[in-house]
Amino acid sequence: MVFENVLVVDPVDGEYAGIVEVTRGFISGVRRRAGCPDCELLLLPGFVDLHTHGSKGVDSLSMDEKGLKKWEEFLYSQGVTYFLPTTMSAQPESLISSAKVVERYLESNSLTSVGGIHYEGPYLSLRRKGAQNPSLIREIDLQEVDSTLNGTIKLLTMAPELRGFREAAALIQRRGITLSIGHTDASYDDMMKAYKYGCKRVTHFPNGMNTLHHRDPGCVGAVFSEDFSVEMIIDGVHSLPSFVKMVFRIKGSERIMIVTDTISAAGMDDGEYELGGLKVILKDGRPTLEDGTIAATVVLFSEAVRNFKTFTDCSHKDLARVSSYNALRSISIEDRGRIAPGYIADFVILDRELGIVETVLAGKTVYKK
Ligand code: FE
């Protein structure tokens, strides 16, 4: 398989006109061409969404394998070649049951963009619950943590100010799972301690956390002072475009990861949906709880990528970092996310307006406009 006359965009080497060759699912060659006046298409590493609760009517806590397939296929149309179904705070049985669905799915599908599962909660701050169900948020229970971890869990969001965080963090990290800090009312010092324990990733910054004050720098101050990497929801609502631009200027393209945080209503019409046991009303494309709290998003990944470019005026190389490379590295995945020989051939091909033209998973076209 050969992709000719494309503008190759690599998160490390940058952009250049070139030809990409694929053999048995891997990139076998990348050649540069002198100039490319007819380069209408961009070839980037496939998009990566490590924080999504659902799409197309499918929800991570109630899905079966058929639903997961539907979700995956929908994400191909968005250029996504790797994602983690993400659970809300739930009882241990529900978490384990979702993890088992993912486990069976991975066993029966050798070619898949499902990478594992992300537990967002349940060990979070009640004060910073956002759209999480307060009756399911709880204190850290080490035995319970241990019993809910299986081989498919790649990422776990937790609040670092909770009692027992240090022990839980050590247990989780020993299992090779990445910890992300989120839904937290941590002080600046709590954040610094967590950073020292190796927790350097932050969930949907700066949503679900206390904010910056010059005499109380809090979570946001800590994130700006240390090399934390941050997920961001780029829908223009969770953070205004000017805030996204500011974060981009402070953290740079090396430390931002686009996530959608979509719920099952993504890709669906206005109506009533469910999120972690709470009713969500989708009206004019805006999902809220009954009390008006913003409830995640229905922004699609490709829209978020276009938004990021518009909000920050970043380069294509930056875009390849924030849409794929950084997220993969944050969960220690090293064999994809680049357009270079030896990497898995996961691509997204875009037009000049950043519309999705084709999605390629391990060398196989899984979506074509
Ligand atoms: Fe959240």
Side-chain angles (χ1 to χ4, degrees), residues 287-307:
T288 55
L289 298 184
E290 286 178 284
D291 66 2
T293 307
I294 311 177
T297 55
V298 291
V299 72
L300 303 177
F301 205 97
S302 66
E303 286 170 12
V305 168
R306 286 189 289 274
N307 285 344

Side-chain angles (χ1 to χ4, degrees), residues 51 53 88 120 124 129 131-132 183 203-204 207 261:
H51 190 152
H53 300 286
M88 302 283 285
E120 188 188 19
L124 306 173
K129 64 184 188 317
Q132 296 266 350
H183 288 279
T203 297
H204 55 44
N207 305 110
D261 202 9

